[in-house]
Amino acid sequence: MSVSDLAADLAIVGVGKIARDQHIPSIAATPAFALKATASRNSGVDGVPRFEHLEDLLDAHPEISCISLCTPPQVRYDDARRALLAGRHVMLEKPPGATLSEVHDLIALARAQGVALFATWHSRHAASVQAARKWLQDKDITRVEVIWKEDVRRWHPGQDWIWQAGGLGVFDPGINALSVLSEIYPRAVHLTQADLFFPENRDTPIAADLTFNDPCGAEMTAAFDWRQTGPQTWDIRIETAQGTATLSDGGANLSVDGEKVNGGPDHEYRALYARFAELVERREIDVDLRPMLHVSDAFTLGRRQAVAAFDW
Ligand code: NAP
């Protein structure tokens, strides 16, 4: 059977912003999956059977083999475990969990159950990420600057979970940059310094300045900030002895020495569901925890500074 022949029934858990913006249209465009039910306390999808709790959905629909979890990270583990124990294949929104150890637990459970587990990193499927990876492979890198600055009020309106412990604060978008960096960079790097800026009334940071060690000597920094109004910036700038590459717009466009060399439309979530179809067919696990390790290191190593209170 080829991947395109897979016709699996799928359910979404957590019908919120990303489920509506990306998952539901992408599933509709992917022949490998059919959306057959949702589990969400307060919302659903017209014409699709709706449950408040995943356990009721799993009991009522044994034929639904795939569960896609679109809830915030703090509540994802319990549902992921429930679905895996029921023998279902599981796809996780990013970040894959609230802690590294809970994700390790899910990996072990998926392995024991012989089902697929996919920790998605949607930004890795942006149009120019692979072009950047290939371009970098044979370059002598001297300096890397990650700048991920956006307006939290515009992209996360009213989402209180991002400000609660486990919600990651500015690392919610920042982990996307780290997922791209770890995909394109030709070797492993590690965090050496972090300054984290916490609003005095919130559990999670609104900004972060990070420094990494590249064992081959390139300077590497990242600046994440949620207070950017006006133009939004999701760029990775890489200076090499052979020219300067800028991967911009969250990975959509690549330029070298100011000249655009790659770009294309956004098919990130379609690519995620195509990959999930492969994993389901092969009953494989694809969980790369490197982006989350950097975030965890930042919370371990980071110097904390209080900044002005944040209110919507
Ligand atoms: P959201 O809309 O705030 O939450 C998704 C849904 O999860 C909610 O509508 C809610 O539905 C359910 N939920 C269950 N328990 C919850 C709790 N304790 N607090 C809040 N909601 C709860 O969030 P989202 O923006 O879709 O993000 C969900 C995940 O996708 C996050 O991990 C995020 O990083 C990732 N993501 C988001 C975006 C984006 O642009 N927003 C992009 C890429 C990835 P019910 O109330 O009906 O249960």
Side-chain angles (χ1 to χ4, degrees):
M1 184 178 78
S2 78
V3 166
S4 58
D5 295 330
L6 183 75
D9 289 347
L10 178 140
I12 281 180
V13 182
V15 181
K17 186 172 187 310
I18 197 60
R20 291 192 187 287
D21 288 356
Q22 296 288 350
H23 288 258
I24 293 165
S26 300
I27 293 162
T30 306
F33 295 108
L35 181 63
K36 289 298 174 84
T38 62
S40 207
R41 299 161 307 175
N42 300 299
S43 52
V45 177
D46 285 348
V48 175
R50 177 180 163 179
F51 297 81
E52 268 185 48
H53 302 290
L54 178 61
E55 49 268 51
D56 299 329
L57 184 158
L58 294 171
D59 285 347
H61 289 281
E63 78 287 0
I64 293 181
S65 59
C66 299
I67 306 293
S68 181
L69 295 174
C70 307
T71 41
Q74 297 103 320
V75 297
R76 212 176 292 126
Y77 169 79
D78 285 343
D79 279 337
R81 188 171 170 78
R82 205 167 269 131
L84 292 170
L85 280 171
R88 316 301 168 90
H89 308 287
V90 170
M91 173 162 153
L92 304 167
E93 250 300 347
K94 48 72 41 173
T99 68
L100 289 162
S101 47
E102 72 182 34
V103 184
H104 282 294
D105 183 67
L106 296 178
I107 295 169
L109 183 56
R111 195 167 288 135
Q113 294 287 90
V115 296
L117 178 65
F118 182 25
T120 63
W121 298 109
H122 66 89
S123 294
R124 284 184 174 172
H125 298 275
S128 294
V129 169
Q130 288 310 318
R133 187 181 65 77
K134 283 185 195 125
W135 187 84
L136 269 181
Q137 266 169 0
D138 58 354
K139 301 296 184 294
D140 302 310
I141 304 168
T142 54
R143 183 170 157 68
V144 179
E145 197 180 4
V146 181
I147 304 173
W148 229 252
K149 295 186 175 181
E150 62 176 47
D151 182 352
V152 64
R153 291 185 174 87
R154 185 165 149 194
W155 301 104
H156 299 275
Q159 293 184 332
D160 279 324
W161 61 264
I162 58 174
W163 293 115
Q164 292 159 3
L168 296 194
V170 76
F171 286 99
D172 177 79
I175 203 168
N176 297 336
L178 299 173
S179 75
V180 172
L181 186 68
S182 50
E183 176 72 10
I184 66 174
Y185 211 66
R187 50 193 168 263
V189 299
H190 65 266
L191 190 90
T192 55
Q193 190 176 315
D195 289 287
L196 309 178
F197 303 91
F198 286 74
E200 60 188 16
N201 59 340
R202 302 288 179 171
D203 296 338
T204 60
I206 197 166
D209 290 330
L210 312 177
T211 305
F212 294 87
N213 178 70
D214 172 349
C216 293
E219 289 174 40
M220 185 180 284
T221 59
F224 302 154
D225 205 321
W226 250 350
R227 298 166 295 191
Q228 172 124 325
T229 53
Q232 308 285 284
T233 312
W234 300 284
D235 290 353
I236 300 178
R237 190 171 175 279
I238 306 178
E239 292 174 22
T240 78
Q242 294 83 15
T244 297
T246 304
L247 184 60
S248 57
D249 306 312
N253 295 301
L254 177 67
S255 64
V256 175
D257 293 333
E259 195 172 316
K260 185 168 172 175
V261 296
N262 201 81
D266 170 11
H267 294 309
E268 293 177 19
Y269 277 79
R270 286 197 205 183
L272 292 180
Y273 277 97
R275 174 70 180 139
F276 188 39
E278 284 176 0
L279 296 171
V280 168
E281 188 195 354
R282 300 176 195 153
R283 295 180 171 259
E284 284 179 358
I285 294 168
D286 179 351
V287 179
D288 177 6
L289 288 174
R290 286 176 296 163
M292 206 171 155
L293 267 179
H294 292 313
V295 174
S296 183
D297 283 354
F299 280 104
T300 307
L301 191 63
R303 287 187 294 236
R304 289 159 190 252
Q305 296 185 37
V307 296
F310 176 88
D311 292 299
W312 296 107

